[in-house]
Amino acid sequence: MIDVNLGGVWKSVKGRCSSICLPRPRRVDHLDQFGSRLEDLPLYRPLRGGQHGVVGLMRTFAVELGAQSIRVNSVHPTHVNTPLLHNEPTYRMFRPDLESPGPDDMAPVCQSFHMLPIPWVTAEDISNAVLFLPPTRLATSPALPFLSTQAVV
């Protein structure tokens, strides 16, 4: 998981650097698809380590690319309504107590991670969050947690 989170971000940004290193202001957004909670939870060491590493990479890239007027930000979505979340193995993992769990059975589990009464967000919600980032040329390296999961202890 750490290899996917950190390696994927590293390769994506380094691969795009040559095409975006132009003289006008640009923005790079790291998308971390595995939850907005940047605090630690038991048994989530690889996931949380990868997420903290993504934030560290984002800050390092912000320093490295800032001289070229490239702003770097990270967006940390929560559960997203995609096949990555909605599939039978995931349902069974989170609801082993049910014989044939589905999305309705998964909703309360996902909602328990959030302060807001929403089980998951859509890809459009995440796109809107990226568009929400400040357009100012002075804003770089903020981490934008999406649908804070402070409710989980």
Side-chain angles (χ1 to χ4, degrees):
M1 187 167 293
I2 291 175
D3 181 47
V4 171
N5 278 359
L6 293 180
V9 168
W10 174 264
K11 291 172 185 170
S12 296
V13 174
K14 291 306 269 187
R16 286 198 58 209
C17 279
S18 61
S19 66
I20 64 172
C21 291
L22 301 173
R24 61 182 188 236
R26 297 285 189 159
R27 181 173 81 200
V28 175
D29 298 302
H30 293 173
L31 299 179
D32 180 1
Q33 306 247 347
F34 297 103
S36 64
R37 186 181 173 96
L38 294 175
E39 300 83 23
D40 295 321
L41 290 171
L43 306 177
Y44 285 85
R45 290 181 299 268
L47 175 63
R48 299 306 166 219
Q51 288 178 329
H52 286 287
V54 166
V55 172
L57 280 176
M58 177 263 306
R59 290 178 178 157
T60 301
F61 279 124
V63 171
E64 290 178 9
L65 300 173
Q68 298 164 18
S69 297
I70 298 172
R71 296 178 297 124
V72 183
N73 307 294
S74 62
V75 176
H76 304 272
T78 184
H79 305 98
V80 181
N81 189 12
T82 65
L84 182 65
L85 175 67
H86 292 291
N87 61 73
E88 191 170 333
T90 301
Y91 299 152
R92 290 188 183 284
M93 180 175 67
F94 282 96
R95 293 304 308 264
D97 56 313
L98 300 176
E99 186 176 320
S100 185
D104 292 338
D105 303 311
M106 185 74 164
V109 174
C110 293
Q111 187 170 334
S112 73
F113 282 77
H114 307 138
M115 293 175 69
L116 299 175
I118 292 175
W120 43 73
V121 298
T122 65
E124 291 80 16
D125 293 327
I126 304 307
S127 296
N128 288 334
V130 171
L131 293 173
F132 171 78
L133 287 166
T136 178
R137 63 186 178 90
L138 302 176
T140 191
S141 73
L144 178 63
F146 200 81
L147 228 176
S148 180
T149 56
Q150 297 290 333
V152 176
V153 178

